[in-house]
């Protein structure tokens, strides 16, 4: 913000966010990033844990990555958090609405799909009631994911004070051929009073409704977490930055005119840049105890955090000694990720994938299955979840590393979209998520080599998938190797 008394001492945008209650100020983005102690890094050890040498039985040697790999931020952990696993909207929405009903100051919500069914309406009513009693409520939804519900959302919140903005609105089908419109807001975040956060893979839509296939008898399999503690600060800052980016995109010409007319244009430009920058923990966390539960908030954006989520996966899997379990509805990882899984199997690590058996998008199903022969031949175990649609994006490594979030293991999530995960280093949480994974595997069918398609048809499918992925990435402006 500008100096007190300056005529430009106003919100950079109408309704722009103020510092989160109980959280860090926007001005914290100028602080020198606090470097994480080695014992808190991904795969790190507390001082009491013995450090095994690389090359010992079950311990991988350190892999040498391309230099660019180390330019991407790694997760920063804080201690003293509470993390609660929530299964589906049936558990998430009541918990979230209870927090919204108790809100005192502000609520931030960033969502890919905010639908207009009854489950979504209950959440919308809770947000409207909070705004009517004076709570500042900011909501940003994706212009593609929530396109069908935008008119209804505006009706529900008309005149109540909810500040709704849309990330990259899709006005016509032609917009989808513009590179920026292929990079979507895929987040599922809600933060109340800067103290309690919710994130995961769950959109605001009924568990028993699929947008492509209609009502279902069995709820989709999906997870979110409730967060309390220091890890919430970067979550609220990210929600603020994304809301600001969306608002700036809609009001660009007005902001540029105001910038030119300002008495302090450089200060105002810096203020705008502060508002849209996602910090994601690198200067948000105060000193926190090295105590349970240790958690890190990780994001993927198209600026500084392009590979932070992928790096968190790969480095945890490189350090795994016993098991790696991954659940993802859309699975088409790049070379580095697949290499990491193959090398883990070579070390004797059990690697299991839980993927969709009930496929919602045919091209996504083809993409995952095009990799089955390669992965199965190297010892990776693959299961397809058949009771309902799988939408969970979770993973486990050994007994004390787990992640829950919005990121799939495919090019859209790892290279293009705005995504957010939480990484948790806690045995009790990992055990709870592991039990959920085991129950899902029990209800799934195992994929075996003899049942795979072979010959020219299988080769053609792999070629079509690879060509489609390459074309999409080129249209979105990505020119590197995947």
């Amino acid at each position: 913000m500008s100096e007190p008394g300056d005529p430009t001492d106003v919100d950079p945008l109408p309704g722009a966010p103020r510092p989160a209650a109980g959280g860090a100020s926007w001005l914290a983005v100028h602080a020198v990033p606090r470097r994480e102690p080695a014992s808190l890094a991904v795969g790190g050890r507390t001082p009491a844990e013995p450090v095994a040498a690389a090359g010992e039985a079950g311990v991988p040697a350190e892999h040498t990555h391309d230099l660019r790999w180390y330019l991407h931020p790694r997760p920063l952990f804080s201690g003293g958090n509470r993390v609660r696993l929530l299964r589906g909207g049936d558990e998430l929405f009541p918990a979230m609405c209870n927090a919204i009903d108790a809100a005192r100051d502000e609520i931030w919500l960033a969502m890919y799909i905010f639908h207009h069914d009854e489950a979504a309406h209950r959440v919308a009513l809770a947000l409207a009631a909070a705004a009517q009693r004076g709570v500042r409520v900011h909501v940003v939804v994706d212009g593609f994911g929530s396109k069908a519900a935008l008119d209804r959302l505006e009706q529900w919140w008309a005149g109540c004070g909810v500040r709704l903005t849309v990330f990259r609105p899709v006005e016509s089908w032609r917009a989808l051929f513009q590179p920026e419109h292929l990079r979507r807001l895929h987040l599922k975040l809600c933060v109340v009073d800067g103290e309690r956060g919710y994130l995961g893979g769950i959109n605001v839509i009924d568990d028993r409704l699929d947008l492509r296939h209609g009502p279902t008898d069995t709820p989709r399999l999906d997870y979110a977490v409730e967060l309390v503690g220091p890890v919430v600060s970067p979550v609220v800052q990210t929600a603020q930055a994304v809301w600001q980016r969306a608002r700036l995109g809609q009001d660009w010409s007005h902001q540029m005119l105001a910038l030119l007319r300002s008495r302090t244009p450089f200060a105002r430009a810096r203020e705008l840049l502060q508002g849209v920058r996602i910090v994601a923990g690198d200067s948000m966390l105060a000193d926190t105890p090295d105590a349970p539960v240790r958690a890190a908030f990780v994001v993927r954006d198209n600026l500084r955090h392009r590979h932070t989520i992928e790096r968190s996966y790969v480095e945890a899997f490189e350090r795994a000694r016993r098991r790696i379990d991954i659940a993802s509805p859309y699975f088409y990882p790049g070379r580095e990720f697949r290499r990491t899984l193959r090398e883990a199997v070579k070390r004797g690590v059990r690697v299991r994938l839980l993927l969709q058996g009930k496929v919602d998008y045919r091209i996504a199903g083809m993409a995952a299955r095009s990799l089955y022969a390669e992965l199965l031949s190297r010892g990776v175990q693959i299961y397809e979840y058949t009771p309902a649609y799988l939408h969970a994006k979770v993973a486990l490594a050994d007994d004390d590393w787990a992640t829950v979030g919005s990121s799939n293991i495919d090019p859209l999530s790892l290279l293009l979209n705005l995504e957010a995960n939480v990484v948790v280093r806690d045995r009790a949480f990992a055990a709870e998520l592991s039990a959920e994974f085991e129950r899902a595997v029990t209800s799934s069918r195992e994929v075996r080599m003899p049942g795979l398609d072979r010959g020219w048809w299988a080769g053609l499918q792999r070629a079509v998938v690879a060509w489609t992925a390459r074309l999409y990435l080129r249209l979105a402006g990505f020119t590197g190797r995947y």
Side-chain angles (χ1 to χ4, degrees):
M1 296 295 178
S2 53
E3 292 297 323
D6 191 294
T8 62
D9 187 20
V10 294
D11 286 341
L13 292 172
R18 294 293 187 181
S25 166
W26 277 20
L27 297 181
V29 298
H30 282 310
V32 177
R34 184 178 67 85
R35 298 304 176 194
E36 176 189 14
S39 63
L40 295 183
V42 173
R45 301 172 177 82
T46 60
E49 294 178 297
V51 179
E56 289 184 9
V59 182
E62 188 71 22
H63 177 74
T64 302
H65 294 278
D66 183 279
L67 178 61
R68 290 170 296 179
W69 177 262
Y70 300 99
L71 300 179
H72 301 293
R74 68 191 311 169
L76 295 179
F77 284 81
S78 64
N81 298 289
R82 297 203 308 271
V83 183
R84 179 162 70 110
L85 184 66
L86 301 168
R87 177 169 177 160
D90 288 348
E91 293 187 6
L92 171 63
F93 300 152
M96 200 160 69
C97 286
N98 287 340
I100 291 170
D101 291 343
R104 305 179 306 277
D105 299 309
E106 63 179 4
I107 298 166
W108 295 89
L109 188 143
M111 196 63 53
Y112 178 62
I113 297 174
F114 200 124
H115 200 49
H116 51 68
D117 58 87
E118 283 303 313
H121 193 204
R122 287 191 289 272
V123 177
L125 289 175
L127 292 168
Q132 287 171 339
R133 66 175 187 268
V135 176
R136 297 185 300 277
V137 179
H138 296 80
V139 176
V140 55
V141 298
D142 184 74
F144 180 78
S146 298
K147 181 176 175 57
L150 290 179
D151 289 344
R152 190 73 61 87
L153 295 178
E154 290 174 354
Q155 292 173 12
W156 286 347
W157 292 327
C160 73
V162 173
R163 292 170 175 172
L164 170 66
T165 190
V166 181
F167 184 86
R168 291 178 180 162
V170 179
E171 304 295 346
S172 71
W173 63 268
R174 294 182 185 86
L176 296 177
F177 289 93
Q178 299 172 6
E180 67 272 14
H181 281 277
L182 298 178
R183 299 169 181 258
R184 307 308 316 182
L185 181 157
H186 198 240
L187 305 170
K188 291 89 178 173
L189 303 178
C190 180
V191 188
V192 178
D193 289 338
E195 300 170 353
R196 191 174 299 270
Y198 300 87
L199 70 88
I202 303 173
N203 291 294
V204 181
I205 182 174
D206 193 282
D207 286 338
R208 296 162 185 81
L209 176 63
D210 184 84
L211 291 182
R212 285 178 56 84
H213 304 282
T216 61
D217 293 328
T218 308
R220 72 178 60 83
L221 183 64
D222 211 345
Y223 296 97
V225 291
E226 180 184 65
L227 303 172
V228 177
V231 74
V232 176
S233 289
V235 182
V236 69
Q237 191 277 335
T238 296
Q240 290 175 344
V242 171
W243 188 92
Q244 186 81 320
R245 288 185 190 186
R247 192 60 175 266
L248 181 61
Q250 292 182 10
D251 202 24
W252 179 255
S253 59
H254 170 77
Q255 289 302 314
M256 292 303 99
L257 184 60
L259 182 64
L260 292 173
R261 291 176 175 174
S262 173
R263 296 181 183 179
T264 54
F266 292 107
R268 189 174 180 87
R270 184 174 67 248
E271 184 178 324
L272 287 172
L273 292 175
Q274 288 175 5
V276 301
R277 180 188 173 200
I278 293 176
V279 180
D282 50 2
S283 60
M284 299 295 295
L285 296 176
D287 289 334
T288 54
D290 180 13
V293 170
R294 291 163 54 198
F297 175 69
V298 289
V299 299
R300 203 224 75 84
D301 67 4
N302 292 297
L303 298 172
R304 185 164 179 258
H305 301 276
R306 290 174 181 267
H307 293 282
T308 306
I309 288 179
E310 183 178 15
R311 180 175 181 176
S312 70
Y313 277 116
V314 169
E315 292 190 347
F317 295 163
E318 286 177 343
R319 289 170 170 80
R321 305 182 186 188
R322 292 195 319 101
R323 61 99 178 256
I324 296 170
D325 291 330
I326 302 170
S328 180
Y330 313 123
F331 186 83
Y332 192 65
R335 303 165 189 263
E336 179 83 0
F337 200 104
R338 301 200 311 274
R339 179 201 58 76
T340 301
L341 298 183
R342 295 195 303 267
E343 292 188 356
V345 174
K346 287 181 183 178
R347 300 195 303 271
V349 177
R350 184 189 66 186
V351 179
R352 295 186 296 177
L353 305 178
L354 180 64
L355 309 178
Q356 283 191 340
K358 192 173 182 178
V359 176
D360 51 2
Y361 293 95
R362 188 173 181 181
I363 186 66
M366 287 176 57
R369 288 168 182 169
S370 71
L371 301 177
Y372 279 9
E374 171 195 333
L375 296 170
L376 288 169
S377 66
R378 302 302 179 90
V380 175
Q381 301 173 32
I382 302 176
Y383 297 84
E384 293 182 337
Y385 185 74
T386 55
Y389 291 109
L390 170 72
H391 198 253
K393 305 104 163 55
V394 303
L396 296 131
D398 292 340
D399 298 325
D400 69 342
W401 188 96
T403 187
V404 178
S406 68
S407 181
N408 297 298
I409 311 297
D410 70 352
L412 273 69
S413 283
L414 296 180
L415 297 178
L416 301 179
N417 293 338
L418 289 170
E419 305 281 359
N421 283 25
V422 64
V423 179
V424 183
R425 299 299 306 272
D426 180 76
R427 288 180 176 272
F429 180 85
E432 183 181 6
L433 184 59
S434 179
E436 290 284 337
F437 189 92
E438 295 298 338
R439 278 193 288 270
V441 166
T442 301
S443 303
S444 303
R445 62 169 176 252
E446 185 173 4
V447 179
R448 300 187 182 277
M449 285 291 290
L452 293 179
D453 292 332
R454 288 191 171 89
W456 68 269
W457 177 243
L460 178 62
Q461 285 184 312
R462 287 194 294 273
V464 168
V465 168
W467 180 85
T468 303
R470 188 176 298 111
L471 175 63
Y472 192 96
L473 291 173
R474 293 297 182 270
L475 288 173
F478 181 82
T479 57
R481 295 182 63 188
Y482 181 65

